[in-house]
Amino acid sequence: MTAQPFWDRMAPKYARKPVGDPDAYHEKLALAASLLKPGDRVLEIGCGTGTTALRLARHVAKYTATDGSRAMIGIAGTKLGPGAPENVTFHHADAAEQVAGAPFDAICAFSLLHLVEDVPGVLATVHAQLRPRGLFLSKTVCTKAAAWPIRVLIPTLTTLRIAPRVTPLSRAELVRHIADAGFEVERTMHFGKNRMSPIIVARKAA
């Protein structure tokens, strides 16, 4: 099973689902807004239905948001119009695909890296699309931090098409992948009670 059919099928339900931890979500938005600059050109990969893109676009000059699911991008596009930021655009593109507009000042990948099969490959593409000292901001589920029953259950849920395929990662492995791709990891943190999803702030080496 490829990822796109799963997310195309799940897109309407995903769009209706409320944020699981609103306080943690708003802390993540506040952190991103504090790191972005008004003149920045930003790329978000794995943008889903575009909620975060529309929030953060107000803080930058240009916001390009992509997702590998056409259904997700279709829903995101319906959110454009009166009241939406005019500097945001949505495009269908795989996370490992280079998009027009590079080099970017910042690239965001929220709840994405654990869902790609080739984490180093995606990070290499991110690195190639950033300017020197550009910001890479990610939030990734590290399932190796989960209790063992959950780790055992995930492959079964994937086989039953109840859950997407997940790349098992620990925080240490994730940090190493990011560093190996040519980034300097500035800090890692968690918001809310969920300790499985570290937020990592990194910069492309000069």
Side-chain angles (χ1 to χ4, degrees), residues 86-121:
E86 296 181 356
N87 64 335
V88 60
T89 56
F90 294 109
H91 305 277
H92 173 253
D94 185 78
E97 181 180 343
Q98 294 202 28
V99 300
F104 295 95
D105 300 295
I107 296 180
C108 301
F110 299 126
S111 300
L112 174 72
L113 292 179
H114 61 291
L115 299 176
V116 304
E117 293 190 34
D118 183 8
V119 174

Side-chain angles (χ1 to χ4, degrees), residues 113-134:
L113 292 179
H114 61 291
L115 299 176
V116 304
E117 293 190 34
D118 183 8
V119 174
V122 169
L123 289 171
T125 303
V126 169
H127 187 272
Q129 295 184 99
L130 271 175
R131 65 167 176 79
R133 302 305 300 163

Side-chain angles (χ1 to χ4, degrees), residues 124-201:
T125 303
V126 169
H127 187 272
Q129 295 184 99
L130 271 175
R131 65 167 176 79
R133 302 305 300 163
L135 170 71
F136 176 52
L137 182 62
S138 71
K139 181 174 182 288
T140 305
V141 178
C142 293
T143 56
K144 286 188 176 180
W148 73 263
I150 296 177
R151 299 198 303 270
V152 171
L153 184 60
I154 289 173
T156 301
L157 296 177
T158 300
T159 300
L160 295 173
R161 303 179 66 195
I162 296 172
R165 190 206 62 80
V166 174
T167 296
L169 294 165
S170 68
R171 187 174 73 166
E173 288 170 341
L174 178 61
V175 169
R176 185 169 65 251
H177 280 313
I178 293 173
D180 287 347
F183 292 96
E184 298 171 1
V185 176
E186 295 185 345
R187 49 182 159 148
T188 65
M189 67 203 77
H190 294 86
F191 291 141
K193 297 178 181 180
N194 186 348
R195 315 312 288 178
M196 287 174 50
S197 302
I199 294 177
I200 298 180
V201 180

